[in-house]
Amino acid sequence: LFDIEAQSKGVFATLMADGKWMYQAGEYKKAIDSFTEALALKPSDKQCFVARSRCYLKMGGFDNALRDAEASLKRDNSFFEGLYLKAEALYYMGEFEFALVFYHRGHKLRPQMQEFRLGIQKAQEAIENSVGSPSNVKLEIKGDLSFLNIGGEVTIQNLTKKKNQKTEKTPKSEKTTKQLLGEFYSDKKYLENLMKDEDLIEGTTKSGEKVKDIIQRCLSYLDTCTEFWHQEKPTSAQEMRQKFMQEKCTKRRNRALSSGFLLKSLDEIDREFMSGNAEGTLKKAEEVMKMVQRWSEKEVPNKKEVLGTLHSCIGNALVDLGNMDKALEHHQKDLELAKQCKLPGALSRALDNIGRVYVRNEEFAEAIQVWEKKLPLVCSDLEKTWLLHEIGLCYLKLDHHEEARDYGVRSVAAADGIADKKWQLNANVLVAQSELKLGNYESCVTHFERALSYAKLLEDDSAMDAIEKVLRFSLTVNFALCTGLNNGFSTDPM
């Protein structure tokens, strides 16, 4: 019974690790499958529900994301990760008021988390855009913030609703509208033409927001400005247009359009890269980067983070195209921006990519130096197993056999911890190769035999053939040493 329970825990840990690895690689559907299998073993694991909820968010499945977030809160309604994902799901479903409640609840529990503070800000902005300007909208919270823990009433009141119902809009000619909007009249016509493109407006951004809603929000704002200026005298209207429109309307329009189309562009870049089109990835990423560099921090609040992502995309495309020097430059820029923004995930990504470029250039010492900085940032057990193996392999290439063996042993331990047969195979081969070079033939044979058993379980014929060949050689050498027949015997398997 103990063995069955231990085996179940091992399988669960492996499925979780695989899911996290797939999530980081952008394989969200595969990650969902892994987390679903894990939940079959532990139906109430809140971390697993949260992990699957994140995947659904990335894929635009907001209903499923909300369901999983709520499941993670079933036994612990103060679980802050579940609260955040519930708020995110509600936000992308357009339930801005409810999202605001849960952002507040999470912020009360974890005031140091920037995500909750930013969530409150974006939810408030969304409510403002949906219902009206701050002067017209009041968010009424009955009671103090303790309601966030026990449930409370949140209502949105449009204080000028009755007044607006009594006020009839003054009909305006197209000529008057053009005069009032000035240079922004062409933008209005452009947006109106976009609304006629049925294929475009039915599309959605990466965050799940409809392109139609983004365009309609911009048009509504322009109509509001036109109505306001129409009530002013011609001279003051002209002055107001130049001052107010440039400072407010342009910023809102650009922020709405930039955020939506930027996410769409990043999706297109991902698709190009995943399909193996390195040239298309490079071209698209460079075009988007030029556009983002022209935008202000107000238009794109996470500008540095976006630029870092684009540098990473360009660097990976250049690696596929064989331009290692340029690729290294872009990955190093990604690293600099990650440090400035203090983003551990982006920092880990940049160090990972820089190490890979060094390995491609056969600069193994440099790869080791970079990857050893990445080790403390690794969250996934599977990624840790891989990274320890790769560092050990670099040491083996440099003929630092003791270091290679030590990292190989750590990789074996990590692979055993998640019961991943593929990496148990790879890690044991690394240890065996290192021990062979060190002349520790008995240990070498032991690790090759372990590797062979995993190759058989995986039904990997090529791995079995290679291991059996080296194992026969290792057994011969070990026998020769034990019987004193090693005079003039070469210890090179090749």
Side-chain angles (χ1 to χ4, degrees):
L1 181 62
F2 176 78
D3 289 341
I4 294 173
E5 185 178 351
Q7 185 178 8
S8 177
K9 288 181 179 178
V11 173
F12 177 80
T14 300
L15 290 169
M16 285 293 290
D18 287 345
K20 291 176 183 177
W21 181 260
M22 291 299 174
Y23 176 84
Q24 291 175 354
E27 297 284 346
Y28 305 123
K29 180 63 174 66
K30 292 180 180 178
I32 288 172
D33 292 341
S34 289
F35 293 134
T36 302
E37 289 184 47
L39 283 167
L41 296 173
K42 286 190 178 182
S44 60
D45 189 87
K46 61 184 182 182
Q47 291 291 349
C48 196
F49 275 119
V50 158
R52 194 171 70 173
S53 179
R54 286 196 185 94
C55 296
Y56 281 129
L57 274 179
K58 289 289 187 181
M59 294 182 67
F62 306 126
D63 289 333
N64 289 330
L66 178 61
R67 183 196 64 207
D68 278 358
E70 289 178 334
S72 75
L73 294 165
K74 191 172 183 179
R75 294 188 177 183
D76 180 10
N77 60 12
S78 63
F79 179 44
F80 67 94
E81 291 183 67
L83 287 172
Y84 177 70
L85 284 165
K86 182 171 183 177
E88 286 284 279
L90 287 166
Y91 175 83
Y92 289 119
M93 291 169 70
E95 300 288 349
F96 304 128
E97 296 89 348
F98 290 110
L100 183 59
V101 168
F102 288 98
Y103 285 131
H104 268 298
R105 184 177 297 182
H107 185 259
K108 187 174 186 295
L109 292 168
R110 288 288 190 280
Q112 70 275 18
M113 277 187 62
Q114 186 181 15
E115 289 85 351
F116 286 123
R117 182 178 59 79
L118 294 175
I120 291 170
Q121 181 182 337
K122 71 181 182 183
Q124 288 175 336
E125 288 181 356
I127 292 170
E128 175 189 329
N129 290 334
S130 300
V131 185
S133 65
S135 61
N136 295 337
V137 180
K138 178 183 178 182
L139 177 63
E140 182 181 306
I141 302 178
K142 296 184 178 180
D144 58 24
L145 285 179
S146 62
F147 90 98
L148 295 173
N149 291 326
I150 60 175
E153 184 179 353
V154 180
T155 59
I156 296 291
Q157 295 180 340
N158 192 326
L159 300 182
T160 59
K161 185 177 180 181
K162 292 183 179 179
K163 180 180 177 181
N164 288 342
Q165 287 176 344
K166 295 177 182 179
T167 305
E168 295 182 0
K169 289 188 176 181
T170 306
K172 299 178 293 298
S173 66
E174 198 68 15
K175 183 177 179 180
T176 304
T177 302
K178 185 175 182 180
Q179 180 183 5
L180 290 169
L181 286 177
E183 60 185 289
F184 295 101
Y185 178 76
S186 59
D187 293 324
K188 183 175 185 293
K189 300 304 292 182
Y190 175 71
L191 291 169
E192 288 173 344
N193 287 331
L194 286 181
M195 287 294 285
K196 298 175 183 177
D197 188 333
E198 294 182 2
D199 292 334
L200 173 67
I201 63 175
E202 290 304 317
T204 57
T205 67
K206 191 174 183 180
S207 64
E209 188 175 12
K210 285 190 176 182
V211 175
K212 179 181 179 180
D213 293 339
I214 296 173
I215 297 172
Q216 188 59 58
R217 192 159 61 242
C218 297
L219 284 170
S220 298
Y221 190 74
L222 288 171
D223 288 340
T224 301
C225 293
T226 306
E227 185 65 28
F228 174 76
W229 290 324
H230 184 75
Q231 297 171 15
E232 300 292 322
K233 294 179 180 179
T235 304
S236 62
Q238 178 73 12
E239 293 172 354
M240 288 291 286
R241 182 180 70 236
Q242 292 176 351
K243 181 179 179 181
F244 184 77
M245 196 71 165
Q246 290 176 3
E247 292 180 0
K248 300 291 182 182
C249 186
T250 305
K251 289 179 182 178
R252 287 199 178 190
R253 180 200 63 185
N254 289 346
R255 182 183 296 179
L257 292 176
S258 65
S259 61
F261 290 108
L262 179 57
L263 290 171
K264 183 180 178 182
S265 297
L266 290 174
D267 264 346
E268 291 173 356
I269 292 169
D270 284 341
R271 284 197 296 271
E272 291 286 355
F273 186 74
M274 295 301 291
S275 67
N277 185 2
E279 291 182 353
T281 301
L282 180 62
K283 182 180 178 181
K284 182 66 177 177
E286 286 178 337
E287 289 174 356
V288 175
M289 179 171 282
K290 288 179 182 178
M291 179 173 62
V292 173
Q293 286 171 336
R294 292 196 297 267
W295 290 339
S296 68
E297 291 282 354
K298 289 185 178 180
E299 291 168 325
V300 186
N302 59 337
K303 181 177 178 179
K304 289 183 178 179
E305 183 180 351
V306 172
L307 287 172
T309 301
L310 291 168
H311 278 300
S312 180
C313 294
I314 292 171
N316 288 331
L318 288 168
V319 167
D320 285 356
L321 292 170
N323 192 339
M324 297 301 162
D325 292 338
K326 282 288 185 183
L328 187 59
E329 288 180 15
H330 282 281
H331 287 312
Q332 286 172 337
K333 288 178 181 177
D334 181 24
L335 180 63
E336 291 170 10
L337 290 167
K339 288 178 179 178
Q340 291 175 23
C341 298
K342 297 180 180 179
L343 298 170
L347 187 63
S348 179
R349 174 190 68 202
L351 291 170
D352 188 355
N353 288 326
I354 290 171
R356 292 176 189 271
V357 174
Y358 280 136
V359 168
R360 290 283 294 267
N361 287 337
E362 298 188 355
E363 298 174 274
F364 302 113
E366 288 79 0
I368 290 169
Q369 186 178 10
V370 169
W371 276 341
E372 285 183 337
K373 292 179 182 177
K374 173 182 167 67
L375 261 176
L377 302 171
V378 173
C379 298
S380 161
D381 291 333
L382 183 62
E383 187 179 10
K384 183 179 180 181
T385 304
W386 166 82
L387 186 57
L388 290 168
H389 176 272
E390 294 303 298
I391 294 173
L393 199 58
C394 287
Y395 274 121
L396 189 65
K397 296 282 188 181
L398 294 170
D399 291 328
H400 295 176
H401 304 134
E402 289 187 2
E403 290 87 349
R405 177 193 59 197
D406 292 343
Y407 271 98
V409 169
R410 291 171 66 185
S411 182
V412 167
D416 288 344
I418 58 174
D420 188 293
K421 294 180 180 61
K422 176 185 174 183
W423 284 105
Q424 285 173 317
L425 163 63
N426 294 335
N428 275 288
V429 168
L430 174 60
V431 176
Q433 289 174 320
S434 304
E435 294 286 39
L436 180 62
K437 294 290 185 179
L438 289 167
N440 301 327
Y441 299 108
E442 187 174 349
S443 176
C444 166
V445 168
T446 299
H447 284 284
F448 270 133
E449 287 177 340
R450 288 179 185 171
L452 182 59
S453 68
Y454 291 121
K456 290 177 179 178
L457 288 171
L458 292 168
E459 299 181 352
D460 189 333
D461 293 334
S462 60
M464 283 190 281
D465 291 341
I467 293 169
E468 285 173 345
K469 176 184 176 183
V470 183
L471 183 57
R472 284 194 297 271
F473 169 81
S474 302
L475 287 167
T476 303
V477 174
N478 193 40
F479 176 77
L481 290 172
C482 292
T483 57
L485 300 176
N486 61 317
N487 290 335
F489 193 89
S490 171
T491 58
D492 188 349
M494 303 305 290

